[in-house]
Amino acid sequence: MLGLILASLTGFFLFLFISIIYLPKIWTMEERAGVEYARRKLKWLSKWVLKSLDVKLEVKYKDKNAIDSLDKKEGIVFVCNHQSNLDIPAIVTALHIDVGFVAKHEMKKWPFFGTWMKKSNCVFLNRENPREGIKDIKKAVELIKEGYPTVIFPEGERSLTGKILNFKKGSFKLATETNGVIVPLTLKGTYDIQPRGTLKMSRGKKVTLVVDEPIFIKNISKEDEKMLSTIVRNKIVENFENID
């Protein structure tokens, strides 16, 4: 329970602090500047949450130069497996690019966190209502076209066992409809901190994020585009199995 208490208290007080100090500033900013500022503050907060849990975070790039050379205007979609509630803080902390997320609709109502995710141009996906879900995906596509890098979890839910689930093909519309770039992310270790279905959090665990080479939709064949969910999942599974 110590991990849960420390992470909860750290998150609560830091969210309270940044909300009081920085939210008024964001409201006075031009939209893009405000979004980028909010994403930087989420990164700062995420680092402290991981510190409170004594997480050992390791980031492995297959080709960092290729990632550094990406142009946000091309439309960047990070695709990651989903292990735990700690996935978002781990990804935000690990990546040197500030990102938003396609997250479950319920997170919109979370105190503090929901507010900052809204300010970060995150999209809350309604999976209960297919019509609303389509609207949410369209909104995410527009944000990506506008140059806001976004992370999506194509499994649609956290794994119950730690094993990688099947990927939903609809998640890849974010990339195909923008003719953009997919960057596969492989996350391992957050499940060991807090598995789905439990409030307990363990401290001192190692978390690894593998950032794979970018896939440019404009450069792949129509056949590969149809198989995109399988191709990306295979890359992520292979990386997952090769993490020590």
Side-chain angles (χ1 to χ4, degrees):
M1 289 296 292
L2 178 61
L4 175 62
I5 293 170
L6 285 173
S8 298
L9 288 175
T10 299
F12 173 77
F13 285 113
L14 289 177
F15 266 126
L16 187 61
F17 172 75
I18 65 174
S19 296
I20 293 172
I21 301 298
Y22 297 114
L23 270 182
K25 183 176 180 179
I26 289 174
W27 287 327
T28 66
M29 290 180 170
E30 177 269 330
E31 183 182 357
R32 181 172 291 275
V35 170
E36 292 174 350
Y37 190 78
R39 289 185 175 190
R40 291 197 298 273
K41 290 303 172 187
L42 269 183
K43 181 187 286 286
W44 175 81
L45 173 73
S46 297
K47 287 179 180 178
W48 277 102
V49 169
L50 295 188
K51 280 185 179 181
S52 73
L53 292 166
D54 192 27
V55 172
K56 279 73 175 175
L57 183 61
E58 181 181 22
V59 187
K60 297 181 178 180
Y61 285 88
K62 292 290 187 73
D63 187 343
K64 192 169 185 298
N65 288 333
I67 303 299
D68 288 340
S69 65
L70 291 177
D71 184 349
K72 292 179 182 180
K73 294 179 182 178
E74 291 181 287
I76 304 172
V77 181
F78 292 94
V79 176
C80 190
N81 59 306
H82 204 1
Q83 297 275 294
S84 166
N85 281 328
L86 273 297
D87 291 355
I88 289 179
I91 293 168
V92 169
T93 302
L95 289 177
H96 63 293
I97 298 174
D98 294 328
V99 295
F101 289 82
V102 175
K104 60 183 181 181
H105 194 257
E106 294 79 2
M107 293 184 76
K108 191 174 186 177
K109 298 179 181 178
W110 285 16
F112 298 117
F113 200 75
T115 299
W116 279 93
M117 289 187 75
K118 290 174 193 173
K119 293 297 181 185
S120 300
N121 264 359
C122 293
V123 175
F124 301 94
L125 182 59
N126 191 335
R127 297 188 186 276
E128 304 291 323
N129 185 326
R131 182 176 294 178
E132 291 301 313
I134 291 171
K135 290 181 182 177
D136 295 332
I137 289 293
K138 286 182 178 178
K139 180 181 178 182
V141 168
E142 289 306 311
L143 288 173
I144 292 164
K145 284 181 178 178
E146 291 171 13
Y148 293 105
T150 300
V151 180
I152 190 166
F153 301 106
E155 291 162 283
E157 60 182 344
R158 288 165 290 150
S159 172
L160 281 167
T161 63
K163 293 183 179 179
I164 297 174
L165 307 176
N166 290 328
F167 284 6
K168 299 181 185 298
K169 290 185 178 180
S171 301
F172 291 84
K173 287 183 178 180
L174 295 187
T176 57
E177 292 193 13
T178 58
N179 202 30
V181 185
I182 287 178
V183 180
L185 301 178
T186 306
L187 192 60
K188 189 171 186 178
T190 51
Y191 179 85
D192 298 325
I193 299 173
Q194 188 189 39
R196 181 178 171 183
T198 179
L199 292 176
K200 181 181 177 182
M201 289 187 182
S202 301
R203 301 184 75 248
K205 298 294 184 179
K206 178 183 177 182
V207 173
T208 303
L209 183 74
V210 179
V211 184
D212 216 311
E213 296 175 2
I215 300 170
F216 294 85
I217 301 301
K218 62 186 178 183
N219 292 340
I220 65 175
S221 66
K222 289 296 181 183
E223 192 61 36
D224 280 348
E225 187 174 320
K226 292 177 184 177
M227 297 292 294
L228 203 50
S229 61
T230 301
I231 291 169
V232 174
R233 184 180 182 277
N234 287 344
K235 283 178 176 286
I236 291 174
V237 169
E238 181 182 358
N239 290 333
F240 189 87
E241 292 174 349
N242 288 332
I243 294 173
D244 296 330

